[in-house]
């Protein structure tokens, strides 16, 4: 099948398929005599695996390792679980950071009158005239020092 069909079947855009091939995440598809890429069902299955891993937020290096484990019949599920647990911990940290950023931004928005006057606490905070509350950063720093 051609790249467009592989893209539709796997849920990965043709542009991303080319990118994954360029970085060696997936093998470059064989070429037909017409020079079109020729994807097999196995290629599509691998691309869908990558898409699902990306949907879960795994990095390219983590996906590369997951692909290696997937194709290794001698793999240990403990390796897969450890990789997933590490990724989950990273996601938890990102969520905490985003929640703190949201809280800080929400505080600034509530402080702004949103009227036709030029004075705005959001602009003042961004240019350094008002402090921005960063409770999420202090919690992370404290936790990492412990």
């Amino acid at each position: 099948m051609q790249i467009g069909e592989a893209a539709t079947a796997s849920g990965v855009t043709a542009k991303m398929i080319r990118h994954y091939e360029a970085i060696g995440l997936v093998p470059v598809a064989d070429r037909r005599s017409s020079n079109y890429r020729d994807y097999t069902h196995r290629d599509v299955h691998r691309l869908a695996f990558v898409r699902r891993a990306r949907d879960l937020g795994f990095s390219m290096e983590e996906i590369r390792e997951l692909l290696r484990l997937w194709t290794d019949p001698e793999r240990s599920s403990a390796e897969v679980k450890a990789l997933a647990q590490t990724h989950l911990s990273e996601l938890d940290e990102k969520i905490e950071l985003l929640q703190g950023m949201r809280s800080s931004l929400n505080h600034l928005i509530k402080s702004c009158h949103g009227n036709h006057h030029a004075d705005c606490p959001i602009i003042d905070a961004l240019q350094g005239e008002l402090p921005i509350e960063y409770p999420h950063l202090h919690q992370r720093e404290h936790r990492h020092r412990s």
Side-chain angles (χ1 to χ4, degrees):
M1 72 183 75
Q2 292 181 11
I3 195 167
E5 296 167 309
T8 300
S10 67
V12 177
T13 65
K15 181 179 179 179
M16 287 309 295
I17 292 172
R18 287 186 204 97
H19 174 68
Y20 293 156
E21 289 176 343
I23 64 172
L25 192 63
V26 297
V28 176
D30 291 332
R31 298 270 183 171
R32 296 179 182 176
S33 59
S34 61
N35 207 29
Y36 285 111
R37 289 176 170 93
D38 191 21
Y39 294 89
T40 65
H41 289 288
R42 185 176 187 172
D43 294 329
V44 170
H45 193 56
R46 185 179 182 95
L47 288 166
F49 181 100
V50 171
R51 180 189 46 81
R52 287 188 291 271
R54 291 294 295 154
D55 288 349
L56 290 172
F58 284 101
S59 70
M60 291 298 172
E61 285 310 308
E62 290 168 329
I63 293 171
R64 197 176 303 277
E65 181 62 13
L66 286 166
L67 285 166
R68 185 192 68 74
L69 291 165
W70 179 43
T71 58
D72 180 3
E74 302 295 317
R75 73 176 171 265
S76 159
S77 65
E79 289 179 86
V80 180
K81 184 175 181 176
L83 195 152
Q85 285 177 319
T86 298
H87 180 61
L88 181 61
S89 294
E90 292 167 358
L91 287 176
D92 286 340
E93 286 184 19
K94 287 178 184 177
I95 289 168
E96 184 180 329
L97 182 61
L98 287 170
Q99 287 174 334
M101 291 166 60
R102 184 186 189 289
S103 174
S104 297
L105 186 56
N106 189 43
H107 174 73
L108 289 172
I109 290 169
K110 286 181 179 179
S111 301
C112 181
H113 296 298
N115 55 24
H116 298 289
H117 298 292
D119 56 319
C120 176
I122 300 168
I123 295 294
D124 293 343
L126 292 174
Q127 68 183 10
E129 291 182 11
L130 287 177
I132 299 176
E133 297 294 322
Y134 294 106
H136 52 285
L137 294 179
H138 301 302
Q139 290 170 358
R140 284 184 72 200
E141 289 170 5
H142 178 71
R143 191 175 62 238
H144 289 293
R145 279 189 242 143
S146 301

